[in-house]
Amino acid sequence: MRKLLNLEETERFGKRLGENLFPGCFIALYGDLGAGKTTFTKFIAKGMGICANIKSPTFAILNIYDGSRPLYHFDFYRLEAEEADDLGFDDYFFGSGVSVCEWSENIVELLPKERLEIRIFKRDVLREFEVSVVGEDARYLRLLKELYL
Ligand code: ADP
Ligand code: MG
């Protein structure tokens, strides 16, 4: 699925995604610096009932927020897969919270085999969102369908 969205439409889209997430859902975000990954995470958080000021966790790797369920906001900008392996993220990745992961490309080998993937591309003042599912998990396919409506 592809969508070309301004900031306001992105907020609506992100919130709707946040409202429809299931426990243990994993969202891998891809996109250059300034593409809008953190902004989009903020909107997902809003949809989960999280009012906290979501900032890029670039220096923390992981920020945790309390919403309708826990939100684990990862940023692997400065991390290599080997390092991440030692840090033991599996409890988060495969727990019952929701994981949203910036710079997923840096730990591709460690990502859950079933996940939602969202690629964000700058298109002048707009952003193009490319959403897809990896794996066969019916819950992700249902979520993708929900986002079409
Ligand atoms: P990233 O986390 O990918 O580095 P940010 O979320 O910090 O990027 O966003 C960078 C800038 O892009 C911010 O100023 C933000 O307001 C803007 N932006 C994000 N999403 C959109 C959008 N859909 N339309 C227009 N501008 C956007
Ligand atoms: Mg960011």
Side-chain angles (χ1 to χ4, degrees), residues 50-68:
I50 296 166
C51 308
N53 182 17
I54 307 273
K55 291 195 203 106
S56 195
T58 295
F59 299 101
I61 302 179
L62 167 63
N63 287 337
I64 301 178
Y65 302 93
D66 265 327
S68 48

Side-chain angles (χ1 to χ4, degrees), residues 1 3 16 20 116 131 133 138-149:
M1 176 177 62
K3 285 173 182 285
R16 193 141 55 85
N20 283 287
L116 192 71
V131 186
V133 169
R139 294 171 304 171
Y140 287 103
L141 298 170
R142 222 177 295 132
L143 182 58
L144 189 61
K145 231 190 229 169
E146 202 69 42
L147 294 175
Y148 268 110
L149 307 174

Side-chain angles (χ1 to χ4, degrees), residues 126-141:
L126 301 178
R127 298 294 187 273
E128 186 166 359
F129 287 78
E130 195 187 299
V131 186
S132 59
V133 169
V134 176
E136 307 269 298
D137 191 325
R139 294 171 304 171
Y140 287 103
L141 298 170

Side-chain angles (χ1 to χ4, degrees), residues 70-82:
L71 169 64
Y72 307 126
H73 182 197
F74 290 95
D75 189 318
F76 291 114
Y77 184 54
R78 282 157 208 286
L79 211 71
E80 312 266 327
E82 301 155 27

Side-chain angles (χ1 to χ4, degrees), residues 27-48:
I27 302 177
L29 297 180
Y30 301 84
D32 292 338
L33 217 61
K37 301 179 294 298
T38 303
T39 305
F40 191 61
T41 304
K42 225 176 268 184
F43 296 148
I44 293 174
K46 260 195 184 178
M48 294 172 65

